[in-house]
Amino acid sequence: MKLKTLRQKVCALHAELPRNNLVTWTSGNISARDLDSGLVVIKPSGVLYPDLRPEMLVILDLAGRIVEGKLKPSSDTKAHLYIYRHCPEVNGIVHTHSPFATAFAAAGKPIPPVLTAICDEFGGGIPIGAYAPIGGNEIGQEVVRTLGSGPAVLLK
């Protein structure tokens, strides 16, 4: 996929996060890995969702070097890149702060598979991982440790 097209798709997906009450202010982010180049597109840090434009997204290599973009990449960039480096099957990451998922995470509880919708969407319950500080590899390490073969994880 062309990086321009991937930037447009990732930007459009970011617009869905606040529309669906999955984030507030500038929290959360989405990244995607280009299958052809291996480069990653991610939201810049501190940009409000309504202001986000495709050309503002930052493109990096898996080592974290900026290939394109003038803005600072998300504070979660190292975590996203860690996941991509350790999970070759993962080509997109969505980091939300939805009220219900955040409540489960704050309580230190996994989301049990009590609804058909949870099983349909996630294949079962959503596990909970330990707290990890923002800004380094730690969140990515905890996601990889907790994720297993499922598509989602909560972090305390």
Side-chain angles (χ1 to χ4, degrees), residues 15-24 27 96-102:
E16 294 300 318
L17 295 177
R19 245 184 241 132
N20 289 283
N21 297 315
L22 296 174
V23 295
T24 56
S27 68
T96 72
H97 289 267
S98 64
F100 295 114
T102 299

Side-chain angles (χ1 to χ4, degrees), residues 4-5 31-32 40-41 44 50 86 93 100 109 114 123 149 155:
K4 181 179 178 182
T5 303
S31 69
V40 173
V41 175
H86 290 84
I93 297 169
F100 295 114
K109 304 280 186 190
V114 295
S149 62
L155 293 183

Side-chain angles (χ1 to χ4, degrees), residues 7-155:
R7 265 185 167 156
Q8 291 168 340
K9 285 186 175 192
V10 171
C11 188
L13 289 170
H14 274 99
E16 294 300 318
L17 295 177
R19 245 184 241 132
N20 289 283
N21 297 315
L22 296 174
V23 295
T24 56
W25 200 47
T26 63
S27 68
N29 49 60
I30 297 173
S31 69
R33 178 177 16 200
D34 177 61
L35 296 177
D36 296 329
S37 67
L39 297 174
V40 173
V41 175
I42 194 163
K43 178 183 177 286
S45 183
V47 175
L48 295 170
Y49 287 95
D51 299 336
L52 189 62
R53 304 287 172 261
E55 62 274 8
M56 298 167 111
L57 296 173
V58 182
I59 299 175
L60 308 109
D61 65 17
L62 289 178
R65 291 181 290 263
I66 295 175
V67 175
E68 284 184 38
K70 296 181 177 155
L71 299 174
K72 180 181 174 187
S74 167
S75 59
D76 292 315
T77 297
K78 288 182 181 180
H80 284 241
L81 296 177
Y82 183 92
I83 296 165
Y84 289 127
R85 287 192 307 269
H86 290 84
C87 300
E89 71 281 7
V90 172
N91 292 305
I93 297 169
V94 180
H95 170 184
T96 72
H97 289 267
S98 64
F100 295 114
T102 299
F104 272 89
K109 304 280 186 190
I111 297 177
V114 295
L115 299 172
T116 303
I118 293 171
C119 294
D120 289 348
E121 196 65 37
F122 298 102
I126 301 171
I128 181 107
Y131 167 80
I134 194 168
N137 289 326
E138 294 88 352
I139 289 175
Q141 291 167 341
E142 190 59 22
V143 167
V144 169
R145 187 191 72 73
T146 306
L147 191 59
S149 62
V153 63
L154 298 173
L155 293 183

